[in-house]
Structure formats: structure tokens, C-alpha cells
Amino acid sequence: MGTKVNYEEFLKEFDLRLNSYFEQFGDNICCRKGCSECCEKGDYPLSDIELQYLMHGYAELDLDTKRTVQKNISVMQRGGACPFLINKECSVYKHRPIICRVHGLAYYYKNEKVKIPHCANTGKNFAKIYKNGEFYGTPIKLNLDTYHILEGIYSDIKNLYDWVHTENN
Ligand code: SF4
Ligand code: SF4
């Protein structure tokens, strides 16, 4: 799965699966355009192929949007907002990394722990069935973390902050 075409094929199939997972949770999912809490704080770990694909998305942006992204990169902080977030929307949505596609779901990850999006604490996804640290739903029975999804395929996974600062130097 080393080429852009193969990665796009992989994403096509992966997105179909994710859509069915999101549908499964019905009205416990509040994700919508303009809801951007999940892009305002985070590490955004991604692999080399995802970064290349993200940069294809960046290359397609108009000049003004590229300038805004560059400006955001220059002030980016570890754990802070994603530089591709502009006016509360993802400027590279079609090209966003796996973690951004998965974010918002509840799933099992390491040691059978359940991963819940942070926005469950701010009245959004799963707020109705997540109380005092307890999840009262049925998580997806698959580890959807980027590390796991790409395990054995891509080893080079870094946080977005580290990628963009390496790329820009
Ligand atoms: S995961 Fe949460 S913060 Fe992000 S878009 Fe969905 S509802 Fe909004
Ligand atoms: S790439 Fe897009 S979806 Fe992912 S964190 Fe950045 S703005 Fe959000």
C-alpha cells in the first residue's frame, strides 16, 4: 500500500466501514460541519503516507488558504489547534488523516479500554450515555487507533507538530 492510489483505495473501504460505525451510534453522534472542538486541541498523530496525502490536499488549496495554513503552522503549539482548521472547518477534509476520520467514535483499544471522544464531556458525542467516566453503550469491537490500523504497514508515525516542523526546516 505504498502509493497514493492504493492509499485512496484503502480509504474508500475504510470510510465505508466508518460510516456504518457512526450510523450504529444513531443520535449519540453530534458531529457536523462547523463543530471543531476535536481540531482545537490534540496531537494528531499520523504516518508518512497520511502526511503525503494531507499535503496533496494542501497543494490543491487556493493561495490565500495556503497562506492561512502557513501562518497557523508558524504559531502552532504542541497539543494545540490543527493548522488546517480555518473558520472552524477542515481545509483539507477529503485528505484528513485516519485519526480525524475515526475521532468521534467509541471503540476498544489497548487492554480492552474504551476510547471515548473528549467532547463526550462537553455535551456532544455520547454525552447521553457517558457519565462519570462510565460508558453505557456498546463500543466498536475494533482498535481504530492509527497505530493499530496501520500496524505493520507504516512504522513512521509522528505528531503533526513534529512533521510540519521537520518538513519546514
Ligand atoms: S467528535 Fe465531537 S467535537 Fe468533533 S465534530 Fe464530532 S461532535 Fe464535534
Ligand atoms: S486535518 Fe482537518 S479534521 Fe484533522 S485535525 Fe486538522 S482540521 Fe481537524
Side-chain angles (χ1 to χ4, degrees), residues 11-41:
L11 283 181
K12 224 185 271 175
E13 186 272 335
F14 189 59
D15 280 344
L16 283 177
R17 273 163 60 202
L18 291 179
N19 286 345
S20 74
Y21 295 156
F22 275 102
E23 278 169 18
Q24 198 171 308
F25 288 116
D27 65 2
N28 282 298
I29 298 294
C30 317
C31 299
R32 58 173 174 78
K33 211 171 178 176
C35 184
S36 61
E37 194 181 315
C38 49
C39 309
E40 289 165 12
K41 273 186 191 171

Side-chain angles (χ1 to χ4, degrees), residues 106-110 112-114 139-144:
Y107 57 92
Y108 285 113
Y109 69 121
K110 280 181 227 148
E112 295 295 292
K113 282 188 196 152
V114 181
I140 304 299
K141 289 183 178 52
L142 182 68
N143 186 343
L144 294 171

Side-chain angles (χ1 to χ4, degrees), residues 41-151:
K41 273 186 191 171
D43 291 327
Y44 324 108
L46 72 162
S47 64
D48 44 6
I49 188 79
E50 293 172 85
L51 180 75
Q52 283 172 35
Y53 194 60
L54 190 68
M55 295 321 286
H56 282 294
Y58 172 79
E60 288 171 8
L61 297 175
D62 62 52
L63 199 56
D64 278 353
T65 312
K66 277 184 183 160
R67 284 196 183 117
T68 305
V69 171
Q70 281 303 327
K71 196 171 144 240
N72 290 346
I73 287 175
S74 69
V75 295
M76 184 185 184
Q77 295 187 344
R78 279 186 195 281
C82 173
F84 295 97
L85 183 68
I86 299 177
N87 298 330
K88 294 192 167 286
E89 285 181 19
C90 178
S91 56
V92 285
Y93 190 75
K94 183 177 161 242
H95 294 258
R96 71 200 188 290
I98 287 172
I99 191 163
C100 311
R101 292 167 197 265
V102 163
H103 198 85
L105 289 169
Y107 57 92
Y108 285 113
Y109 69 121
K110 280 181 227 148
N111 306 325
E112 295 295 292
K113 282 188 196 152
V114 181
K115 186 165 264 190
I116 309 282
H118 293 301
C119 64
N121 299 301
T122 58
K124 291 179 181 158
N125 285 9
F126 308 116
K128 287 183 274 188
I129 53 170
Y130 181 69
K131 305 275 176 217
N132 304 321
E134 284 292 323
F135 182 62
Y136 297 96
T138 308
I140 304 299
K141 289 183 178 52
L142 182 68
N143 186 343
L144 294 171
D145 277 354
T146 302
Y147 293 92
H148 186 78
I149 293 293
L150 295 179
E151 200 172 24

